[in-house]
Amino acid sequence: MQISGEPSFRESVDLMFNRAVKLMDMSPGLEQKIRVCNSTYTVRFGVRLRGKIETFTGYRSVHSEHMEPVKGGIRYALSVNQNEVEALAALMTYKCALVETPFGGSKGGLCIDPRAWDEHELEQITRRFAYELIKRDLINPAQNVPAPDMGTGEREMAWIADQYARMNTTDINAKACVTGKPPHAGGIQGRVEATGRGVQYALREFFRYPEDVAKARLSGGLEGKRVIVQGLGNVGYHAAKFLSEEDGCIITSIIERDGALLSDTGLDVEDVRQWMNANDGLLAGYPKARHVEDGAAVLEEACDLLIPAAMEGVINLGNAARIKAPLIIEAANGPVTYGADEVLRQKGVVIIPDMYANAGGVTVSYFEWVKNLSHIRFGRMQRRAEEARSRLLVEELERLSADQHLGWSLTADFKERFLTGSDELALVRSGLDDTMRTAYQAMRKIWHERDDVEDLRVAAYIVSISRVAATYRSKGL
Ligand code: NAD
């Protein structure tokens, strides 16, 4: 979505980059090297479907190869274009650097309405697209590793992994060619929920600092905060579900393609999602809340926290001045345009930027890639040893209590939790939580320590650009 007078998504990302580099001491040459997108491959391929040949256009863009493999999702949408793919690839570079996943940035996209094709047809299209990318090493465990994005998920990633394995029968690391696979096809527990979970962990970390919360003219914790979510897809659904079920947030509105649901007392996210699943992805007709057709207008409703989790450019010069939320977390990539960002900053709105907010996906993708390369699931070697040590301690405490007539007794709940070793899901969540906390701390340090840094977005860019620059310098560029 681009309204007149506004820069494109790609230009918007560059302008945000420029705001940050102005505050950094970097040579213009290196600055330009980091800013530009290294390459974009466009492919047009035909697939015989429904008795005729259909031609599709796809892209794979590599923004920066300062580290390899490069990493970034594959999006299926009719709106996919080169400008968008390059913007998203650039964001991947900065995101990976910010959360310290050892990847360069990349992104892919296919111009397709995935709802217009049945499962078998989508498999044929996906395998053909993957074939085109694999034969050019644009999908490869050591060079370029895609993941899901809008319109794609576990199913498409499993097809891509299988296509790669068919074309590289002796590559022992074949499964690491793509992440976001289902667990039975080499995936990792917790990947599907990872981006939404990361949004939750990001907010928990933000709310640990009362002075940061005060900058957003809020107080207290997440409990009772009124939240508007746009997009109940992978990211929005998980974020809204976890925030409402585990942190006490009240989801007052969910905005989707066909309008929005509103409820003062809070929507049951799981129930709404079940409704959508049973009703062609539509909210209309949902019996337990009011439905309005103008979803975009609901972005402007009063709330404590706004979570755009659908697509780019939804908060733009056309509506920024009317946004009432004091805090926005960019669960989607690029939901706030460069111009809107300026308007919102002037209004004192705090924005937790996309490159940090939705980095949970690539973080858990990194864990999945490491799992595939090490050919063993996390926790397999340690879990029972950890449980045995804990049991030793519990038994010794119980023996001491009995021998010394101390009358201690450990509660059943404590024993249950203490004696349960960490399985893969627990380890993934722990690694994700650590990543989100550490990255936030790196950003907020710059936000608070430097007088010339106004906002978290510039702070995030400064952290990541410095890291990319350090890698280039050490390579001798
Ligand atoms: P998805 O396809 O699962 O969900 C997107 C949802 O947004 C869908 O329910 C769709 O109906 C809805 N939607 C689309 N256009 C809309 C509009 N104009 N108004 C309201 N709702 C609309 O996609 P996703 O994977 O959840 O990705 C959403 C965003 O998060 C994208 O910007 C993507 O780049 C970003 N992201 C995704 C991941 C991931 O792991 N999936 C990781 C990082 C960032």
Side-chain angles (χ1 to χ4, degrees):
M1 197 185 300
Q2 187 181 351
I3 67 166
S4 68
E6 284 213 81
S8 68
F9 186 14
R10 174 88 189 98
E11 288 160 346
S12 213
V13 172
D14 282 352
L15 286 164
M16 289 170 179
F17 175 97
N18 293 348
R19 261 187 75 217
V21 285
K22 256 198 234 146
L23 308 177
M24 300 173 73
D25 180 21
M26 203 181 334
S27 72
L30 182 55
E31 178 189 317
Q32 176 68 353
K33 174 66 209 85
I34 296 174
R35 185 191 295 107
V36 298
C37 186
N38 287 3
S39 61
T40 300
Y41 172 69
T42 307
V43 60
R44 295 178 189 86
F45 58 91
V47 185
R48 185 174 291 280
L49 297 161
R50 302 179 191 175
K52 59 181 172 79
I53 293 175
E54 292 280 346
T55 301
F56 296 91
T57 305
Y59 305 91
R60 187 80 184 154
S61 186
V62 175
H63 175 260
S64 175
E65 289 145 299
H66 68 289
M67 286 198 191
E68 287 189 291
V70 294
K71 190 114 193 46
I74 291 185
R75 173 176 289 195
Y76 280 6
L78 278 177
S79 52
V80 162
N81 59 67
Q82 180 169 345
N83 187 293
E84 177 187 81
V85 175
E86 290 188 359
L88 292 164
L91 279 176
M92 282 306 297
T93 296
Y94 310 133
K95 188 181 306 187
C96 289
L98 183 63
V99 294
E100 297 177 286
T101 53
F103 302 127
S106 181
K107 201 79 182 192
L110 189 63
C111 300
I112 184 175
D113 176 1
R115 288 164 304 174
W117 303 97
D118 68 28
E119 183 163 5
H120 177 64
E121 291 165 336
L122 275 175
E123 178 176 347
Q124 284 177 275
I125 299 163
T126 302
R127 283 186 183 275
R128 185 59 208 272
F129 184 33
Y131 168 83
E132 296 293 336
L133 298 181
I134 293 164
K135 72 178 182 185
R136 291 171 180 85
D137 286 333
L138 289 165
I139 296 178
N140 181 300
Q143 280 177 270
N144 198 324
V145 182
D149 192 73
M150 219 166 105
T152 58
E154 286 189 329
R155 183 184 65 175
E156 287 74 16
M157 301 307 115
W159 291 330
I160 293 172
D162 185 66
Q163 186 65 31
Y164 181 88
R166 286 186 190 187
M167 294 167 68
N168 296 273
T169 50
T170 57
D171 185 348
I172 195 169
N173 293 320
K175 282 199 164 59
C177 76
V178 65
T179 57
K181 304 176 293 291
H184 60 265
I188 194 166
Q189 298 296 332
R191 175 59 185 90
V192 175
E193 65 166 45
T195 311
R197 184 66 78 185
V199 170
Q200 176 196 33
Y201 289 167
L203 284 166
R204 284 185 178 174
E205 183 62 5
F206 177 84
F207 277 92
R208 284 192 187 101
Y209 301 97
E211 62 272 41
D212 297 8
V213 177
K215 280 187 186 251
R217 288 166 284 131
L218 292 169
S219 59
L222 277 166
E223 177 84 37
K225 292 287 178 290
R226 301 175 74 75
V227 179
I228 296 177
V229 183
Q230 184 192 40
L232 206 67
N234 178 303
V235 180
Y237 158 70
H238 286 105
K241 179 178 166 73
F242 299 147
L243 287 167
S244 57
E245 291 178 5
E246 298 171 16
D247 297 288
C249 289
I250 301 163
I251 311 296
T252 55
S253 183
I254 291 172
I255 309 169
E256 257 293 332
R257 290 174 201 268
D258 71 318
L261 293 178
L262 301 151
S263 163
D264 252 4
T265 49
L267 294 157
D268 177 337
V269 175
E270 188 56 48
D271 199 52
V272 174
R273 172 78 167 214
Q274 295 301 335
W275 170 270
M276 282 178 66
N277 289 347
N279 292 278
D280 289 331
L282 300 176
L283 296 177
Y286 181 69
K288 300 179 199 163
R290 188 158 66 90
H291 178 261
V292 293
E293 275 179 19
D294 188 358
V298 176
L299 288 169
E300 301 165 20
E301 292 287 318
C303 62
D304 297 313
L305 171 61
L306 177 59
I307 311 183
M311 58 187 294
E312 61 266 19
V314 293
I315 300 172
N316 46 50
L317 285 176
N319 60 3
R322 294 190 302 274
I323 296 289
K324 296 188 190 68
L327 176 63
I328 298 176
I329 183 160
E330 295 182 323
N333 282 308
V336 177
T337 63
Y338 180 74
D341 191 63
E342 211 158 68
V343 173
L344 293 169
R345 253 184 294 125
Q346 276 161 19
K347 281 168 51 136
V349 175
V350 172
I351 301 178
I352 303 179
D354 46 8
M355 80 170 77
Y356 166 68
N358 66 37
V362 75
T363 301
V364 177
S365 275
Y366 167 45
F367 302 155
E368 179 178 335
W369 181 72
V370 171
K371 174 186 180 182
N372 292 152
L373 294 179
S374 54
H375 301 269
I376 188 166
R377 75 164 184 271
F378 290 107
R380 183 162 175 181
M381 304 298 280
Q382 314 90 314
R383 183 178 176 189
R384 304 300 168 189
E386 198 186 305
E387 288 180 357
R389 290 182 76 83
S390 302
R391 183 165 300 283
L392 211 59
L393 183 63
V394 165
E395 285 172 358
E396 188 60 8
L397 283 172
E398 285 176 338
R399 189 192 62 75
L400 273 172
S401 170
D403 283 3
Q404 308 293 320
H405 308 290
L406 298 172
W408 296 345
S409 69
L410 301 170
T411 64
D413 176 56
F414 169 82
K415 274 171 56 172
E416 157 90 21
R417 287 196 286 151
F418 191 66
L419 292 174
T420 305
S422 304
D423 61 7
E424 187 171 80
L425 183 59
L427 291 167
V428 162
R429 287 182 179 161
S430 153
L432 176 59
D433 193 11
D434 181 61
T435 303
M436 297 310 289
R437 290 189 199 206
T438 310
Y440 185 76
Q441 286 157 20
M443 283 190 312
R444 83 178 291 276
K445 189 167 184 299
I446 292 195
W447 189 29
H448 287 272
E449 283 180 3
R450 287 185 55 164
D451 293 339
D452 54 352
V453 172
E454 266 181 78
D455 58 325
L456 280 166
R457 191 190 309 281
V458 159
Y461 269 99
I462 290 178
V463 173
S464 52
I465 295 168
S466 317
R467 290 178 182 164
V468 176
T471 311
Y472 273 126
R473 283 197 198 99
S474 61
K475 281 167 85 161
L477 250 191

